[in-house]
Amino acid sequence: MAALLPFHRAILTHIVTGDNCGNDSSLVSLDFTEYSGVESISIGNHCFSYVKTVTIAGLTKLKSVVIGKKCFMDEQSLDGRFQLKDCSSVGELRVGERSFMLFSACEIEDNPSMTLIEMEKMDNTSYSFWNGSLELKSVVVALAVMIRPSFSQIRRDWLERVSSVF
């Protein structure tokens, strides 16, 4: 990650990539935890194909995470893991269709301001985290938009923590 974002980590407030970014086979992990001043992360379409691990943790100023379409989807990512945890101000996670399609886990933990989890738009088929499981821990989501067939491995017990699912 340091090679992609050579800026001073504490003063960087927005991370935005264009389309087709970070598709180098040597880039297999993204860890945003050192970017303590980040308020938003926005990743374009068709990005970070070979990345198998995405960690967004401990970012107290982070408000939103938006991932474009067809990101993080190389066949080598079958055991991929996405983590969004301990970000006290994060309110939304939006994931475009087919992103994280082969990842095995999506962990969302200790994000008390979370109000929206959206997997693509209502008129599309998502397939995000198709082979994955969703783990919500210490999260009370006021509104979650989940489009099937996202999370084919989803367990019904997480629904008890969500006030409405569309």
Side-chain angles (χ1 to χ4, degrees):
M1 189 70 176
L4 290 175
L5 302 171
F7 309 104
H8 191 276
R9 290 175 176 93
I11 62 170
L12 187 66
T13 57
H14 302 282
I15 297 174
V16 180
T17 73
D19 293 344
N20 302 303
C21 180
N23 291 322
D24 182 340
S25 62
S26 67
L27 183 60
V28 295
S29 179
L30 283 180
D31 187 344
F32 293 93
T33 57
E34 294 184 31
Y35 297 90
S36 59
V38 168
E39 296 175 15
S40 68
I41 298 171
S42 181
I43 296 174
N45 299 321
H46 306 278
C47 293
F48 303 107
S49 293
Y50 299 98
V51 170
K52 298 176 189 176
T53 304
V54 178
T55 304
I56 303 170
L59 303 179
T60 58
K61 296 179 182 179
L62 183 66
K63 293 179 176 46
S64 70
V65 177
V66 178
I67 311 291
K69 297 176 183 179
K70 298 182 181 178
C71 297
F72 308 99
M73 59 177 290
D74 183 70
E75 291 179 13
Q76 301 301 317
S77 62
L78 282 171
D79 292 327
R81 180 170 302 287
F82 173 84
Q83 294 179 324
L84 176 60
K85 63 181 185 176
D86 300 321
C87 297
S88 57
S89 298
V90 70
E92 67 176 12
L93 169 64
R94 296 175 187 266
V95 178
E97 67 178 88
R98 298 182 191 267
S99 288
F100 303 104
M101 193 164 106
L102 300 174
F103 272 45
S104 61
C106 176
E107 300 171 3
I108 301 172
E109 180 177 349
D110 291 323
N111 301 305
S113 298
M114 182 73 72
T115 57
L116 176 68
I117 300 171
E118 180 180 86
M119 300 295 159
E120 197 41 62
K121 301 192 181 346
M122 297 295 284
D123 58 349
N124 292 326
T125 302
S126 176
Y127 293 104
S128 297
F129 295 100
W130 173 247
N131 288 319
S133 64
L134 173 64
E135 293 181 36
L136 289 178
K137 295 179 182 176
S138 302
V139 176
V140 178
V141 180
L143 174 64
V145 178
M146 305 292 300
I147 303 303
R148 295 295 270 166
S150 294
F151 300 108
S152 68
Q153 306 302 314
I154 198 167
R155 292 184 0 207
R156 299 295 294 171
D157 61 345
W158 82 270
L159 292 174
E160 296 171 4
R161 298 181 209 141
V162 179
S163 63
S164 63
V165 177
F166 297 101

